[in-house]
Amino acid sequence: MPLNYYIWLSTALFVIGVLGVLYRRNIIIIFMCIELMLNAVNLLLVAFSAHHGDGAGQVFVFFIMAVAAAEVAVGLAILIVIYNNTRSTDIKVLNKLKW
């Protein structure tokens, strides 16, 4: 499969993730969009790694996935605390935390 297909697919996934972060108000959806952006980058790294015949990109993807798993664990823990305090997953409610 040509490299251009991977580039276009990862670009589309990344743009969908960015638009989801910018326009959605539900924090769970925002976390999912951040993960979508990370997976788009991972797809691109693996595609370029396979194209060049070097395994360094795939090792880097492994570390990105480990960091993403830690980010999800911490993010969901924070989300549970926020939900217990505010009974909402809407990020507009978080403005009350400023004062």
Side-chain angles (χ1 to χ4, degrees), residues 1-63:
M1 195 180 300
L3 186 62
N4 289 339
Y5 293 161
Y6 292 110
I7 293 172
W8 284 110
L9 178 62
S10 68
T11 302
L13 289 174
F14 194 83
V15 167
I16 290 169
V18 168
L19 291 175
V21 168
L22 291 177
Y23 292 117
R24 298 297 250 171
R25 295 291 175 222
N26 190 339
I27 198 161
I28 296 172
I29 302 296
I30 291 173
F31 279 141
M32 288 172 49
C33 290
I34 290 171
E35 290 297 320
L36 187 65
M37 290 188 294
L38 285 173
N39 284 331
V41 171
N42 286 342
L43 175 66
L44 200 57
L45 282 171
V46 169
F48 277 118
S49 175
H51 179 70
H52 292 294
D54 186 20
Q58 295 174 4
V59 172
F60 195 59
V61 165
F62 176 73
F63 288 116

Side-chain angles (χ1 to χ4, degrees), residues 42-93:
N42 286 342
L43 175 66
L44 200 57
L45 282 171
V46 169
F48 277 118
S49 175
H51 179 70
H52 292 294
D54 186 20
Q58 295 174 4
V59 172
F60 195 59
V61 165
F62 176 73
F63 288 116
I64 291 174
M65 290 177 78
V67 170
E71 176 240 341
V72 166
V74 171
L76 287 177
I78 291 171
L79 175 65
I80 289 170
V81 170
I82 290 172
Y83 182 77
N84 285 337
N85 290 334
T86 62
R87 296 288 180 218
S88 177
T89 58
D90 191 15
I91 60 173
K92 294 243 184 210
V93 176

